[in-house]
Amino acid sequence: MKMYVLAVLLAAFLCGCGQVQTMETVDDTLVEPVMAPPREISVELPGEAAVPTMESESSRFYLCKDYEIAVETMESGDLPATIRALTGYEPEELTVMEREQDGVKRYDFVWASAGEQGERLGRAAILDDGNYHYTLSVLRDADTTETLQVVWHQVFSSFSLA
């Protein structure tokens, strides 16, 4: 009888021991890190380029008589890809000047290309805040250098982030 009582007590004590099942959930949605919103670009454009010809959420294009201006915001991280997108050249083929401006990196460069009407000259600046590349690029005809009244140094020196 003692064995029978011992077996019943042992069975009663072991009833509370159970296996806890652990579950893991799997979600099929891609969780992307939240990026900071892009900053505002500030630039003083020539008077005739006051209204953009084409505009989207991340870019504005200005077409004038002798030149074109593009102001764009691209994702940061791949500077060579941004330079290729602006110029069509590899960064190694250009002289890229790097400096610090208002706490962000600034890259300036120029290039030449062939156009339908002859040689074209390009100039661009990229501001890199670590999240985005903010770009200003100008493409103009080479033969209008003496007749063009725009002072490009003033336009590019006014290029900054607000």
Side-chain angles (χ1 to χ4, degrees):
M1 178 83 173
K2 289 182 183 180
M3 287 295 272
Y4 185 67
V5 172
L6 185 64
V8 171
L9 283 174
L10 186 62
F13 287 131
L14 291 178
C15 284
C17 298
Q19 183 182 22
V20 178
Q21 188 174 9
T22 57
M23 303 284 280
E24 181 179 340
T25 59
V26 178
D27 194 9
D28 64 347
T29 59
L30 179 63
V31 178
E32 293 184 30
V34 178
M35 289 186 65
R39 294 169 62 183
E40 231 11 77
I41 297 174
S42 173
V43 64
E44 293 178 24
L45 297 175
E48 59 193 27
V51 178
T53 306
M54 294 180 285
E55 189 171 6
S56 72
E57 186 176 305
S58 63
S59 60
R60 294 185 309 262
F61 296 98
Y62 304 86
L63 298 176
C64 300
K65 182 181 175 192
D66 296 321
Y67 57 91
E68 297 129 30
I69 300 174
V71 179
E72 300 177 84
T73 303
M74 302 175 184
E75 280 192 29
S76 181
D78 193 0
L79 182 64
T82 301
I83 292 174
R84 271 192 304 278
L86 292 174
T87 67
Y89 287 99
E90 293 295 324
E92 298 81 31
E93 300 172 320
L94 302 170
T95 301
V96 180
M97 306 293 290
E98 179 183 350
R99 65 183 173 104
E100 188 85 12
Q101 175 183 322
D102 299 327
V104 298
K105 291 182 181 176
R106 180 180 172 128
Y107 304 93
D108 288 284
F109 48 93
V110 296
W111 71 96
S113 62
E116 293 178 11
Q117 311 298 332
E119 285 284 315
R120 305 228 33 187
L121 299 177
R123 180 175 175 180
I126 300 172
L127 298 175
D128 183 0
D129 68 352
N131 294 316
Y132 295 96
H133 287 155
Y134 306 92
T135 67
L136 169 65
S137 61
V138 173
L139 195 59
R140 61 186 175 87
D141 294 330
D143 58 354
T144 61
T145 301
E146 289 124 18
T147 60
L148 195 59
Q149 298 297 317
V150 179
V151 181
W152 293 112
H153 176 71
Q154 293 174 347
V155 173
F156 278 89
S157 64
S158 71
F159 180 54
S160 63
L161 297 176

Coordinates of all heavy atoms in Angstrom, one line a residue, residues 61-97:
F61 N 14.5 70.4 -63.4 CA 15.3 70.7 -64.6 C 14.9 72.0 -65.2 O 13.7 72.3 -65.3 CB 15.1 69.6 -65.6 CG 15.6 68.3 -65.2 CD1 14.8 67.3 -64.6 CD2 17.0 68.0 -65.2 CE1 15.2 66.1 -64.2 CE2 17.4 66.7 -64.7 CZ 16.6 65.8 -64.2
Y62 N 15.8 72.9 -65.5 CA 15.6 74.2 -66.1 C 16.3 74.2 -67.5 O 17.5 74.0 -67.6 CB 16.2 75.3 -65.2 CG 15.7 75.2 -63.8 CD1 16.3 74.4 -62.8 CD2 14.7 76.0 -63.4 CE1 15.9 74.4 -61.5 CE2 14.2 76.0 -62.1 CZ 14.8 75.2 -61.1 OH 14.4 75.2 -59.8
L63 N 15.5 74.4 -68.5 CA 16.0 74.5 -69.9 C 16.0 76.0 -70.3 O 14.9 76.6 -70.4 CB 15.2 73.7 -70.8 CG 15.2 72.2 -70.6 CD1 14.2 71.4 -71.5 CD2 16.6 71.6 -70.7
C64 N 17.1 76.5 -70.6 CA 17.2 77.9 -71.0 C 17.8 77.9 -72.5 O 18.1 76.9 -73.0 CB 18.1 78.7 -70.1 SG 17.4 78.7 -68.4
K65 N 18.0 79.1 -73.0 CA 18.4 79.2 -74.4 C 19.8 78.6 -74.6 O 19.9 77.8 -75.6 CB 18.5 80.7 -74.8 CG 18.9 80.9 -76.2 CD 18.9 82.4 -76.5 CE 19.5 82.6 -78.0 NZ 19.8 83.9 -78.2
D66 N 20.8 78.8 -73.8 CA 22.1 78.3 -74.1 C 22.6 77.3 -73.1 O 23.8 76.9 -73.1 CB 23.1 79.5 -74.1 CG 22.8 80.5 -75.3 OD1 22.5 80.0 -76.4 OD2 22.9 81.7 -75.1
Y67 N 21.8 76.9 -72.1 CA 22.3 76.0 -71.1 C 21.1 75.3 -70.4 O 19.9 75.7 -70.6 CB 23.1 76.8 -70.0 CG 22.3 77.9 -69.3 CD1 21.6 77.7 -68.2 CD2 22.3 79.2 -69.9 CE1 20.9 78.7 -67.6 CE2 21.6 80.2 -69.3 CZ 20.9 80.0 -68.1 OH 20.2 81.0 -67.5
E68 N 21.4 74.2 -69.7 CA 20.5 73.4 -68.9 C 21.0 73.3 -67.5 O 22.2 73.1 -67.3 CB 20.3 72.0 -69.5 CG 19.7 72.0 -70.9 CD 20.5 71.2 -71.9 OE1 21.1 70.2 -71.4 OE2 20.6 71.5 -73.0
I69 N 20.1 73.4 -66.6 CA 20.4 73.3 -65.1 C 19.6 72.1 -64.6 O 18.4 72.1 -64.8 CB 20.2 74.6 -64.4 CG1 21.0 75.7 -64.9 CG2 20.5 74.4 -62.9 CD1 20.7 77.1 -64.3
A70 N 20.2 71.3 -63.8 CA 19.5 70.2 -63.1 C 19.9 70.2 -61.6 O 21.0 70.3 -61.2 CB 20.0 68.8 -63.7
V71 N 18.9 70.2 -60.8 CA 19.0 70.1 -59.3 C 18.3 68.8 -58.9 O 17.1 68.7 -59.1 CB 18.4 71.4 -58.7 CG1 18.5 71.3 -57.2 CG2 19.0 72.7 -59.2
E72 N 19.1 67.9 -58.4 CA 18.6 66.6 -58.1 C 19.0 66.1 -56.7 O 20.0 66.5 -56.2 CB 19.1 65.5 -59.1 CG 18.7 65.8 -60.5 CD 19.3 64.8 -61.4 OE1 18.6 63.8 -61.6 OE2 20.3 65.1 -62.0
T73 N 18.2 65.2 -56.1 CA 18.5 64.6 -54.8 C 18.5 63.1 -55.1 O 17.6 62.5 -55.6 CB 17.4 64.9 -53.7 OG1 17.4 66.3 -53.6 CG2 17.8 64.3 -52.4
M74 N 19.7 62.5 -54.8 CA 19.9 61.0 -55.0 C 20.3 60.4 -53.6 O 20.8 61.1 -52.8 CB 21.0 60.8 -56.0 CG 20.7 61.4 -57.3 SD 22.2 61.2 -58.4 CE 21.7 62.1 -59.8
E75 N 20.1 59.1 -53.5 CA 20.6 58.4 -52.3 C 22.1 58.4 -52.2 O 22.8 58.3 -53.2 CB 20.1 56.9 -52.4 CG 18.7 56.7 -52.0 CD 18.3 55.3 -51.7 OE1 19.2 54.5 -51.3 OE2 17.2 55.0 -51.9
S76 N 22.5 58.6 -51.0 CA 24.0 58.6 -50.7 C 24.5 57.2 -50.6 O 23.8 56.3 -50.7 CB 24.2 59.4 -49.4 OG 25.6 59.4 -49.1
G77 N 25.9 57.2 -50.6 CA 26.5 55.9 -50.4 C 27.4 55.5 -51.6 O 28.4 54.8 -51.3
D78 N 27.0 55.8 -52.8 CA 27.8 55.4 -53.9 C 28.1 56.6 -54.8 O 27.4 57.0 -55.7 CB 27.0 54.4 -54.8 CG 27.9 53.7 -55.8 OD1 29.1 54.0 -55.9 OD2 27.3 52.9 -56.6
L79 N 29.2 57.4 -54.3 CA 29.6 58.6 -55.0 C 30.0 58.3 -56.5 O 29.5 59.1 -57.4 CB 30.7 59.3 -54.3 CG 31.2 60.6 -54.8 CD1 30.1 61.6 -54.8 CD2 32.4 61.1 -54.1
P80 N 30.7 57.3 -56.8 CA 31.0 57.1 -58.2 C 29.8 56.9 -59.1 O 29.8 57.4 -60.2 CB 31.9 55.8 -58.2 CG 32.5 55.8 -56.9 CD 31.5 56.4 -56.0
A81 N 28.7 56.2 -58.6 CA 27.5 56.1 -59.4 C 26.8 57.4 -59.6 O 26.3 57.7 -60.7 CB 26.6 55.1 -58.7
T82 N 26.9 58.3 -58.6 CA 26.3 59.6 -58.7 C 27.0 60.4 -59.8 O 26.4 61.1 -60.6 CB 26.3 60.4 -57.4 OG1 25.5 59.6 -56.5 CG2 25.6 61.7 -57.5
I83 N 28.4 60.4 -59.8 CA 29.2 61.1 -60.8 C 28.9 60.5 -62.2 O 28.8 61.3 -63.1 CB 30.7 61.0 -60.4 CG1 30.9 61.8 -59.1 CG2 31.5 61.5 -61.5 CD1 32.3 61.7 -58.5
R84 N 28.8 59.2 -62.3 CA 28.5 58.6 -63.6 C 27.2 59.0 -64.1 O 27.0 59.3 -65.3 CB 28.6 57.1 -63.5 CG 29.9 56.5 -63.8 CD 29.8 55.0 -63.9 NE 29.2 54.3 -62.8 CZ 29.9 53.9 -61.7 NH1 31.1 54.2 -61.5 NH2 29.2 53.3 -60.8
A85 N 26.2 59.1 -63.2 CA 24.8 59.5 -63.6 C 24.8 61.0 -64.1 O 24.1 61.3 -65.0 CB 23.8 59.4 -62.4
L86 N 25.6 61.8 -63.5 CA 25.6 63.3 -63.9 C 26.4 63.5 -65.2 O 26.0 64.3 -66.0 CB 26.2 64.1 -62.8 CG 25.4 64.2 -61.5 CD1 26.2 65.0 -60.4 CD2 24.1 64.9 -61.7
T87 N 27.5 62.8 -65.3 CA 28.5 63.1 -66.4 C 28.6 62.1 -67.5 O 29.0 62.4 -68.6 CB 29.9 63.4 -65.8 OG1 30.4 62.1 -65.3 CG2 29.9 64.4 -64.7
G88 N 28.4 60.8 -67.1 CA 28.7 59.8 -68.1 C 30.1 59.3 -68.0 O 30.6 58.4 -68.7
Y89 N 30.9 59.9 -67.2 CA 32.4 59.6 -67.0 C 32.6 58.9 -65.7 O 31.8 59.1 -64.7 CB 33.2 60.9 -66.9 CG 33.4 61.6 -68.3 CD1 32.6 62.7 -68.6 CD2 34.3 61.1 -69.2 CE1 32.8 63.3 -69.8 CE2 34.5 61.8 -70.4 CZ 33.7 62.9 -70.7 OH 33.9 63.5 -71.9
E90 N 33.6 58.1 -65.7 CA 34.1 57.4 -64.4 C 34.8 58.5 -63.6 O 35.4 59.4 -64.1 CB 35.0 56.3 -64.7 CG 34.4 55.1 -65.4 CD 33.4 54.4 -64.6 OE1 33.5 54.3 -63.3 OE2 32.4 54.0 -65.1
P91 N 34.7 58.5 -62.2 CA 35.3 59.5 -61.4 C 36.8 59.5 -61.6 O 37.4 60.6 -61.5 CB 35.0 59.0 -60.0 CG 33.8 58.1 -60.1 CD 33.9 57.5 -61.5
E92 N 37.5 58.4 -62.0 CA 38.9 58.4 -62.2 C 39.3 59.2 -63.5 O 40.4 59.7 -63.6 CB 39.4 57.0 -62.4 CG 39.2 56.1 -61.2 CD 37.8 55.5 -61.1 OE1 37.2 55.3 -62.1 OE2 37.4 55.3 -60.0
E93 N 38.3 59.5 -64.4 CA 38.6 60.2 -65.6 C 38.4 61.7 -65.4 O 38.7 62.5 -66.3 CB 37.7 59.8 -66.7 CG 37.8 58.3 -67.1 CD 36.8 57.8 -68.0 OE1 35.6 58.2 -67.9 OE2 37.1 57.1 -68.9
L94 N 38.0 62.1 -64.2 CA 37.7 63.5 -63.9 C 38.6 64.0 -62.7 O 39.1 63.1 -62.0 CB 36.3 63.8 -63.5 CG 35.2 63.4 -64.5 CD1 33.8 63.4 -63.9 CD2 35.2 64.3 -65.7
T95 N 38.8 65.3 -62.6 CA 39.4 65.8 -61.4 C 38.3 66.2 -60.4 O 37.6 67.2 -60.7 CB 40.3 67.0 -61.8 OG1 41.3 66.5 -62.7 CG2 41.0 67.5 -60.5
V96 N 38.1 65.5 -59.4 CA 37.1 65.8 -58.4 C 37.7 66.5 -57.2 O 38.5 65.9 -56.6 CB 36.3 64.5 -58.0 CG1 35.2 64.8 -57.0 CG2 35.8 63.8 -59.2
M97 N 37.2 67.7 -57.0 CA 37.7 68.4 -55.8 C 36.8 68.2 -54.6 O 35.6 68.4 -54.8 CB 37.8 69.9 -56.2 CG 38.5 70.3 -57.4 SD 40.3 70.0 -57.3 CE 40.7 71.2 -56.2

